[in-house]
Amino acid sequence: MIMKGAKQSRISKQFSPVSCDSHLQTLRESAVKVASSEDLLIQILLKVPIKALMGFKCVSKQWSSLITNPHFVHLRSPLPSASSLFFISSTRKRKNPDYQFIPLDVGDEWRTPFKILDFIHDPLGSGISVLQSCNGLLLCASFRAHELSRRYYVYNPTTKQFAILPQIGSQYAEHVCGMNLAFDPVRSPYYKVVCVRRVGNLFQIEIYSSETQLWRVSGKPFTAPEYTEFQNCIYWNGSVHWWSGSFHWSNGIIYGGHWRDVPYTLYFKVDEESLERLPSPKKPNYLVPKYVGESEGHLHLVEFKYTILLDVYEMARDYSGWFVKYQLDLYAISNVYPEIIRENKTYAYHIISLLRKGKEEEEDGSFLVLEIVGGKTVRYNLVDKSVEKLWEFAPG
Amino acid sequence: MKKLKFIGNPLLQSREKINMSSDKKWLTLKTTEDNEEFVVEESVAIMSNVIKNMVEDGCASSVIPVPRVKGNAMGKIIEFCKKHTEESDEKVLKEFDAEFLNLGPDALYDLMVSANFLEIKVLLDSVTTKVADMIKGKSSEEIRNILKIENDLSAEEIEESRRENCWTRQE
């Protein structure tokens, strides 16, 4: 069949000189294009390691603009898979917190992106700390500074470039509840920062775009479920998600002595600039989830099923609902680390992170990182329930 | 009306037809800059996407003029494409490429530009990787020499860049 088609086209085109000429024309045009050779340059520079690339900005204006062009940066760095966490060593002793990186993936190449955040000269001693990391960019703030003089920065530890965000407006500075970074290199080389500030009993969103380099009010003031934490967000699927209650570093249960039903949480679709509600997987939902987080393009939520069995839910990409993807069996952990069970029969642990591993045809090696009593950080494989120790914090 | 009679297995018959119609075809490539002619098998020549498109559209009847590519670069390219069409062992090809690309910067540059122009992906990938390896350890001055780039940065711009990047040199 294919042969037949080719024969036909040959017959028709042999006698039409136009298409042959157009090929020759293309050849001539390509000759001119190659002379500018920017495509070629890009292909070469893509293969040069980042460190060397930074020094090449001195070669020529074209090279300098190419290397710093956000589209080029995007071509170079596909979405990084977060396989290491960082911890602050001590904020009290030093002006700038010291960062330590811990590889979560045993066998991963061990590289420390940075030890101290000193990308900016900090004369006031206000210290710079990381608020959030999003697809390779970090949102930092001068945490010791008073709210009125607090500055926010977006920092790229790979290219060492940073941007100082313009201040939001001094009349609002003290009412800022949260600053959230929204960056998805697949969607756009530009990032946005979503700021939520209080307006009386309500909240208002302002958006900063690195494309316009300006802040702009978005939408009208809105209400939010009680205890919504705007300073901790999860960026997933193009939206900034907020949760109620401080589940991050606590066993998150009761507030003010009352059980509070949290039927939904809020999320903000950044590009469409619309606020939506995300239902909780369990109804009624009195407990703050044990963990919520994003990994490899999936949004997960961990909640109790029974005391020693937790469900790991995943949200469908079209927001149609939660489904149980894995389970956390605390019994498996207590077999290896019996000290996890307290005297009163409760379990002493908290979930630090969930990492998805293994693409479609590969074996699923997804795991949870938990901190258990005694300063131990362990890795729990969600598929085969195996447990191994990653790290142990020295006392102090 | 005569009824078409298939002799033997109809599938086999059509396969035979195909074999008969695609006898080894030869093409003549002529570099217009220095008028050198190269006679190559079609299967080798179509490693170049540009030539492949011309062949598929029936424009490659006699001599294909190839502008911009010099005779010696064309010769090298044909050598590369021939080896890659004949050989399928990855290891052998890798060794061949390493030896093949052991060229001076000028020849490498010509090869790269020609491979890009003729759209030969395999060759372009190998050459750009080789060039990237070559330049990654070099200073800006050396790179400008190798790739024939004009220095259009002012002294201040260079100094500023150096200051920004001093951490790369320390490490």
Side-chain angles (χ1 to χ4, degrees):
Chain A
M1 291 301 118
I2 302 165
M3 282 301 298
K4 213 175 170 184
K7 259 194 174 136
Q8 273 180 347
S9 76
R10 209 166 275 147
I11 291 166
S12 61
K13 279 172 183 174
Q14 231 167 31
F15 298 100
S16 79
V18 180
S19 57
C20 285
D21 269 349
S22 72
H23 273 293
L24 292 173
Q25 183 63 21
T26 318
L27 270 176
R28 268 178 240 126
E29 280 166 12
S30 305
V32 175
K33 218 169 58 165
V34 164
S36 70
S37 69
E38 186 152 298
D39 284 335
L40 259 183
L41 188 55
I42 293 174
Q43 293 204 43
I44 299 171
L45 292 178
L46 279 175
K47 297 180 179 169
V48 177
I50 280 266
K51 261 204 239 169
L53 212 53
M54 290 301 112
F56 291 175
K57 288 197 271 189
C58 293
V59 173
S60 79
K61 279 201 167 104
Q62 184 196 28
W63 279 50
S64 178
S65 77
L66 193 68
I67 292 170
T68 49
N69 185 317
H71 286 280
F72 175 72
V73 175
H74 162 43
L75 275 176
R76 275 206 66 98
S77 341
L79 283 175
S81 57
S83 54
S84 73
L85 266 180
F86 54 84
F87 290 93
I88 303 173
S89 276
S90 129
T91 49
R92 267 163 287 155
K93 292 180 197 164
R94 294 168 198 230
K95 273 194 183 167
N96 272 320
D98 201 271
Y99 290 93
Q100 250 194 337
F101 281 80
I102 297 164
L104 294 178
D105 232 344
V106 179
D108 240 12
E109 223 184 86
W110 181 211
R111 268 174 306 130
T112 308
F114 57 84
K115 267 251 138 193
I116 294 179
L117 281 178
D118 57 357
F119 56 82
I120 189 152
H121 185 48
D122 178 33
L124 301 170
S126 38
I128 299 180
S129 73
V130 178
L131 296 179
Q132 182 200 346
S133 102
C134 186
N135 283 323
L137 286 183
L138 297 176
L139 180 68
C140 309
S142 49
F143 66 98
R144 261 195 268 271
H146 184 263
E147 280 148 329
L148 283 172
S149 52
R150 186 169 295 157
R151 300 311 300 267
Y152 293 90
Y153 312 89
V154 175
Y155 175 59
N156 183 337
T158 315
T159 62
K160 311 272 176 183
Q161 287 181 307
F162 69 94
I164 309 175
L165 296 185
Q167 289 188 295
I168 195 162
S170 50
Q171 70 271 43
Y172 304 128
E174 277 172 316
H175 304 289
V176 169
C177 306
M179 289 285 235
N180 312 126
L181 178 59
F183 173 62
D184 188 343
V186 171
R187 285 165 191 258
S188 161
Y190 298 105
Y191 59 84
K192 289 186 176 159
V193 181
V194 175
C195 171
V196 182
R197 55 179 171 80
R198 259 186 313 267
V199 177
N201 289 333
L202 303 171
F203 300 95
Q204 174 69 57
I205 288 181
E206 282 201 45
I207 302 182
Y208 170 85
S209 159
S210 66
E211 195 173 4
T212 60
Q213 302 197 335
L214 294 168
W215 284 101
R216 159 179 72 79
V217 168
S218 166
K220 297 203 188 73
F222 60 94
T223 57
E226 245 175 318
Y227 303 111
T228 301
E229 290 215 334
F230 290 109
Q231 68 267 33
N232 291 317
C233 81
I234 293 162
Y235 181 68
W236 172 73
N237 209 9
S239 308
V240 169
H241 301 74
W242 299 291
W243 254 269
S244 302
S246 310
F247 61 84
H248 286 276
W249 298 110
S250 69
N251 291 323
I253 323 173
I254 312 165
Y255 283 93
H258 302 283
W259 295 96
R260 299 203 183 264
D261 182 19
V262 186
Y264 67 87
T265 51
L266 284 180
Y267 68 97
F268 179 70
K269 284 187 169 166
V270 183
D271 288 337
E272 295 92 324
E273 296 191 31
S274 67
L275 265 176
E276 312 283 337
R277 293 179 176 187
L278 191 74
S280 307
K282 275 162 73 168
K283 294 171 181 37
N285 184 40
Y286 292 121
L287 292 177
V288 173
K290 283 293 274 180
Y291 169 81
V292 192
E294 183 271 341
S295 171
E296 299 290 326
H298 302 269
L299 184 67
H300 303 105
L301 186 149
V302 180
E303 265 198 4
F304 280 108
K305 189 171 177 150
Y306 316 116
T307 322
I308 63 162
L309 189 66
L310 290 93
D311 281 329
V312 178
Y313 294 91
E314 184 182 336
M315 171 52 78
R317 200 159 272 281
D318 59 2
Y319 288 105
S320 52
W322 295 98
F323 59 93
V324 179
K325 178 80 182 171
Y326 306 105
Q327 289 192 309
L328 168 58
D329 187 354
L330 290 173
Y331 189 67
I333 301 181
S334 62
N335 277 341
V336 183
Y337 296 100
E339 61 266 34
I340 197 177
I341 308 175
R342 292 196 195 98
E343 272 172 21
N344 58 0
K345 304 286 192 264
T346 58
Y347 284 74
Y349 69 96
H350 62 257
I351 302 173
I352 298 173
S353 184
L354 191 160
L355 276 127
R356 289 289 286 259
K357 211 186 153 199
K359 301 205 173 93
E360 274 149 32
E361 291 109 43
E362 289 170 22
E363 206 184 300
D364 190 346
S366 307
F367 57 93
L368 279 172
V369 179
L370 303 130
E371 197 192 330
I372 61 177
V373 68
K376 295 192 192 72
T377 309
V378 302
R379 193 177 123 137
Y380 170 89
N381 185 312
L382 286 161
V383 177
D384 64 20
K385 302 189 183 182
S386 61
V387 186
E388 63 189 305
K389 188 163 86 168
L390 280 175
W391 191 260
E392 190 155 353
F393 284 103
Chain B
M1 259 179 67
K2 260 192 180 169
K3 206 177 173 186
L4 276 171
K5 240 174 141 181
F6 283 109
I7 305 161
N9 189 343
L11 272 173
L12 203 60
Q13 213 178 38
S14 51
R15 221 180 291 140
E16 280 170 13
K17 271 192 179 156
I18 289 167
N19 274 336
M20 277 182 58
S21 322
S22 59
D23 269 337
K24 280 193 183 171
K25 284 194 82 181
W26 298 84
L27 296 172
T28 308
L29 303 172
K30 181 168 167 180
T31 53
T32 55
E33 284 209 5
D34 45 17
N35 282 321
E36 273 197 51
E37 283 193 8
F38 300 86
V39 178
V40 283
E41 277 181 46
E42 188 182 283
S43 55
V44 171
I46 59 173
M47 269 192 85
S48 151
N49 225 20
V50 168
I51 297 180
K52 184 164 179 263
N53 288 338
M54 287 179 82
V55 168
E56 282 176 352
D57 284 357
C59 299
S61 44
S62 54
V63 178
I64 300 179
V66 183
R68 216 185 183 285
V69 181
K70 297 202 190 88
N72 42 11
M74 193 75 229
K76 283 232 82 153
I77 289 171
I78 290 169
E79 190 192 325
F80 181 90
C81 293
K82 245 189 124 187
K83 187 72 183 185
H84 276 254
T85 323
E86 290 166 358
E87 188 67 58
S88 53
D89 190 332
E90 286 282 341
K91 223 181 145 208
V92 175
L93 282 176
K94 246 189 161 169
E95 278 175 23
F96 170 80
D97 286 355
E99 183 66 42
F100 180 81
L101 293 172
N102 204 6
L103 301 166
D106 285 345
L108 211 56
Y109 181 77
D110 277 342
L111 198 63
M112 182 175 70
V113 168
S114 309
N116 186 39
F117 171 63
L118 289 169
E119 295 179 32
I120 306 173
K121 189 172 188 314
V122 182
L123 179 56
L124 190 60
D125 277 345
S126 306
V127 180
T128 48
T129 310
K130 173 87 193 202
V131 175
D133 284 339
M134 261 174 56
I135 64 171
K136 70 181 174 199
K138 302 265 191 295
S139 73
S140 313
E141 182 73 35
E142 288 167 312
I143 292 172
R144 276 187 230 116
N145 286 335
I146 296 171
L147 296 178
K148 306 177 210 304
I149 300 171
E150 202 189 291
N151 183 3
D152 56 357
L153 292 165
S154 68
E156 296 97 51
E157 283 168 316
I158 295 180
E159 191 47 51
E160 195 190 314
S161 230
R162 283 229 181 89
R163 249 184 291 123
E164 263 178 37
N165 294 311
C166 63
W167 62 270
T168 55
R169 280 157 227 277
Q170 277 166 10
E171 274 163 309

